[in-house]
Amino acid sequence: LGTPHYMSPEQATGDQSVGATTDIYALGCVLYETLVGDPPYVGKTAQAILSRIITGDPEPVTERRRAVAANVDAAIRKALEKVPADRFRSAQEFAAALADPTFRHGAEDGSHVAIRRRWIGRLAISGWGIAAVLALWWGLTTFLSTPPHRIARFDIELPAGQRLTGLSLTPDGEAVFYAAGELFRRTLEDLAVERIPSARAGGDLSISPDGQWIGFSSRESGRDILRKVRLSGGPAVDLAEHPFIRGIVWDPPDHLIIGSHNEGLWRVDAAGGDLERLTDPAGGAPHRYPRVLPGRRGVLFQIGGSDIGDQVAVLPDGESQWRILTEGSSPQYVPSGHVVFYRDGSLWAAPFDLGRLELDGEPVPVIPSVRRGEAKAMFEWSADGSLFFVEPAAPPEQVLVWVTREGAEQTVSIPAGVFRVPPELSPSGSILLLTQNEKIWIHDLARGVTERLTGDSASEWQGIWSPSGADVYFMSRRSGPFELYSTSLRGARSMEAIGIGNAFPHDWTADGRGLIYTSRSDTTTNKLSIWRLAEGRSELLLDEPVDEGNAAGAARLSPDDRYLAYATADPSGVLTSTSIRFPT
């Protein structure tokens, strides 16, 4: 490290019999400096420092930092003993002492260090590695005053066609429940995955505080059903219905709170009944993924879809007005006294004052990479402080190609990437519309040049060409929730709101006077409508729910306007066609 501050007494005296306990001493030095701000021994010269290492005693950590627990101070003093035999024999023993609130050293306690079973399971790491792990964890003072937990890695292979939609941990952190079409349980001690019968779950999960029930949502006939089922088995019980549930949490002792896709937060009795409104965004961004704070002091939740990104908010108990805390999503309160949330692909944490319901420090990143689903980050904390998170899977890169009717392929001059929305070819066949990273791009095929459609920083999605190819219609979050806009490719490309709210554009009628779209302004269903440009009005086209999950390609008209092909909301995902006639 370039200085003598971390040298052990045996190194300072030139003793060649150094070993594992020498690393323990160095680890104690690093931990001391991390907590106090200075090494255990300081001096104006190297000789002065070496002299104090050999003959002096470090000042107790607790005298410099009162917030440090007594057992942490005692563990550091044992690690810094002059005689190697008096130190910890391994990093594991050191870690156990840091985790044991009853640990004392020297005259305080003559007993041997008790190694706790739940130290840092199955983690073989050197003394320097332990120091790095501890230093990277937010708030060493907080972390070292509470028992650490096992680190476990395991793979759960989902059946073909299923995708992970929700997670929940038991209060003791010993088992994880997840939703992937059905409910499944996986304990940390068992390799087997157990299916929970009578529970078809396609959304969010939450285990009751007593560990007896699990609440979940299922989507049926264009609506989400809130249900609960006993973990010991039995039939599922219907509690309530809502158009789009986004987040479920138990509100002790006998209620549940749900978030919603386009609306606010709602509460319902755990026995079932009518939904009670808790918040009303009044046309603003939706309120999602609620979490009840300890002592029912309030509810943490995510405000989704704002023009500056998702935000973490708190609703004080008994009030209807919320407070913005910071930018981020999927917030959770953890036993260390922090609010943890998702931001920019990582987990972040900030100290949180439960009394004032305010952040008590700046957020810092704590887990560098966590998977995010359609809108929710895949991580969960249990009541005992255990963290379960899913690492992101690298999305498969796609290559755009021309395909002839004979099946021959020719690669388009666009770098491989992830195209979550099918590209749209202009009527002239010369320009492609592409959606990547929630931004819309235009690619000139002749020149091989790609540029942004707009200079907006807000999320953009689902662009389609006007029949003439002079304009593009697309969704944007520039004013809050998604709304349908148009922009011309000529001039300054100013954006204009169409006036039909949150809508997925799909296709045009043959005469170019009618835009087929999926309306998401009506929160009860996703139904196909037509916007008649000349009259400036919208009307329902098909009174049948369509598949929200496949909204990017949910409907196409035949060239003669006689047939409409669309994806239904039926779980089978069957592609359906119906005969229609325009303009009637």
Side-chain angles (χ1 to χ4, degrees):
L1 295 176
T3 72
H5 294 98
Y6 309 98
M7 293 180 67
S8 66
E10 58 269 28
Q11 291 173 307
T13 58
D15 188 351
Q16 297 302 312
S17 60
V18 296
T21 56
T22 306
D23 288 338
I24 297 297
Y25 184 94
L27 176 56
C29 291
V30 173
L31 193 51
Y32 185 102
E33 184 176 2
T34 303
L35 294 174
V36 172
D38 296 311
Y41 303 101
V42 294
K44 293 183 179 180
T45 65
Q47 289 77 7
I49 296 172
L50 292 175
S51 176
R52 291 177 183 177
I53 289 174
I54 297 170
T55 62
D57 290 315
E59 186 178 4
V61 174
T62 49
E63 292 186 10
R64 300 283 298 275
R65 294 290 184 270
R66 294 181 179 179
V68 176
N71 69 294
V72 175
D73 175 66
I76 292 174
R77 283 190 284 111
K78 183 175 177 66
L80 297 179
E81 282 286 359
K82 306 293 185 188
V83 180
D86 292 338
R87 300 172 198 152
F88 295 105
R89 293 173 297 178
S90 65
Q92 291 95 325
E93 284 193 5
F94 193 3
L98 293 172
D100 186 356
T102 66
F103 177 79
R104 297 296 181 268
H105 175 56
E108 299 169 325
D109 184 7
S111 62
H112 193 269
V113 178
I115 305 297
R116 310 189 80 169
R117 184 180 69 90
R118 295 171 61 86
W119 57 282
I120 304 179
R122 299 181 61 188
L123 182 62
I125 192 165
S126 70
W128 292 112
I130 289 283
V133 171
L134 299 181
L136 284 172
W137 204 261
W138 76 89
L140 264 174
T141 301
T142 300
F143 174 72
L144 294 176
S145 63
T146 57
H149 298 281
R150 290 171 298 174
I151 295 176
R153 285 183 179 272
F154 49 83
D155 295 328
I156 298 175
E157 184 175 351
L158 300 181
Q162 292 186 355
R163 61 187 179 91
L164 186 68
T165 59
L167 297 172
S168 189
L169 287 176
T170 54
D172 59 8
E174 293 294 332
V176 59
F177 288 77
Y178 64 93
E182 297 179 281
L183 276 181
F184 300 90
R185 169 170 40 203
R186 163 70 148 79
T187 67
L188 300 189
E189 305 294 344
D190 192 353
L191 295 178
V193 174
E194 177 187 0
R195 174 179 167 271
I196 306 299
S198 306
R200 177 184 166 189
D204 301 294
L205 306 177
S206 180
I207 295 177
S208 62
D210 61 7
Q212 301 298 311
W213 296 86
I214 185 166
F216 62 97
S217 62
S218 300
R219 188 151 189 87
E220 296 181 6
S221 303
R223 296 180 65 83
D224 283 336
I225 314 297
L226 177 64
R227 295 185 167 108
K228 69 176 183 179
V229 66
R230 285 190 179 275
L231 298 184
S232 59
V237 179
D238 290 1
L239 302 180
E241 291 187 12
H242 189 276
F244 300 105
I245 293 176
R246 294 295 183 270
I248 301 170
V249 66
W250 287 81
D251 183 16
D254 52 10
H255 285 80
L256 291 94
I257 296 176
I258 63 171
S260 55
H261 176 69
N262 284 5
E263 298 181 312
L265 303 179
W266 303 81
R267 178 190 283 125
V268 64
D269 193 288
D274 295 332
L275 291 171
E276 170 195 359
R277 180 182 288 276
L278 296 182
T279 63
D280 186 0
H287 295 174
R288 303 169 175 169
Y289 309 114
R291 293 299 175 115
V292 177
L293 291 168
R296 301 189 70 251
R297 292 176 174 86
V299 179
L300 282 175
F301 63 96
Q302 167 190 330
I303 298 179
S306 66
D307 55 350
I308 61 172
D310 295 328
Q311 296 175 311
V312 175
V314 61
L315 176 70
D317 184 48
E319 299 183 17
S320 59
Q321 186 56 46
W322 54 90
R323 310 171 189 171
I324 304 297
L325 297 178
T326 186
E327 293 183 20
S329 62
S330 305
Q332 297 184 34
Y333 179 83
V334 299
S336 63
H338 294 76
V339 168
V340 179
F341 54 90
Y342 180 90
R343 180 195 288 178
D344 299 330
S346 304
L347 282 191
W348 292 62
F352 185 71
D353 190 317
L354 274 175
R356 296 182 291 115
L357 298 184
E358 297 176 357
L359 296 186
D360 200 24
E362 290 297 318
V364 295
V366 292
I367 301 291
S369 188
V370 174
R371 181 181 301 182
R372 182 174 181 174
E374 292 183 353
K376 180 183 180 182
M378 294 298 180
F379 74 98
E380 287 291 327
W381 288 86
S382 69
D384 76 334
S386 297
L387 167 65
F388 181 97
F389 68 97
V390 181
E391 294 179 333
E397 289 193 334
Q398 300 160 315
V399 177
L400 295 181
V401 297
W402 292 107
V403 182
T404 68
R405 293 186 182 276
E406 291 74 29
E409 295 183 0
Q410 179 182 355
T411 303
V412 181
S413 59
I414 296 176
V418 180
F419 306 96
R420 299 191 182 279
V421 177
E424 290 280 339
L425 189 64
S426 65
S428 65
S430 61
I431 303 178
L432 273 176
L433 275 181
L434 307 169
T435 302
Q436 280 188 302
N437 300 321
E438 297 191 9
K439 297 292 184 290
I440 296 179
W441 304 76
I442 55 176
H443 177 79
D444 190 307
L445 291 165
R447 296 187 297 138
V449 176
T450 305
E451 60 179 310
R452 279 284 310 281
L453 176 67
T454 74
D456 209 321
S457 60
S459 296
E460 299 170 346
W461 202 256
Q462 181 87 11
I464 69 168
W465 296 95
S466 65
S468 66
D471 303 295
V472 175
Y473 288 72
F474 62 100
M475 298 170 65
S476 173
R477 277 180 167 169
R478 69 190 327 252
S479 299
F482 270 126
E483 190 171 356
L484 190 62
Y485 289 83
S486 69
T487 186
S488 173
L489 294 190
R490 306 185 183 94
R493 298 185 186 175
S494 60
M495 296 173 63
E496 178 182 352
I498 303 303
I500 55 178
N502 196 352
F504 277 104
H506 299 303
D507 207 353
W508 294 91
T509 56
D511 60 9
R513 297 179 180 179
L515 172 64
I516 307 300
Y517 70 95
T518 303
S519 173
R520 300 179 71 185
S521 298
D522 178 4
T523 60
T524 59
T525 53
N526 281 328
K527 294 186 178 181
L528 286 169
S529 298
I530 182 171
W531 173 258
R532 301 191 182 276
L533 274 68
E535 295 89 349
R537 63 183 177 88
S538 180
E539 63 185 60
L540 185 66
L541 180 63
L542 187 66
D543 191 16
E544 180 177 347
V546 297
D547 181 13
E548 177 196 11
N550 194 34
R556 294 288 183 180
L557 278 169
S558 62
D560 59 4
D561 285 349
R562 290 186 58 196
Y563 291 95
L564 174 71
Y566 63 96
T568 69
D570 185 272
S572 66
V574 173
L575 183 67
T576 306
S577 68
T578 185
S579 179
I580 60 174
R581 174 68 67 179
F582 287 102
T584 57

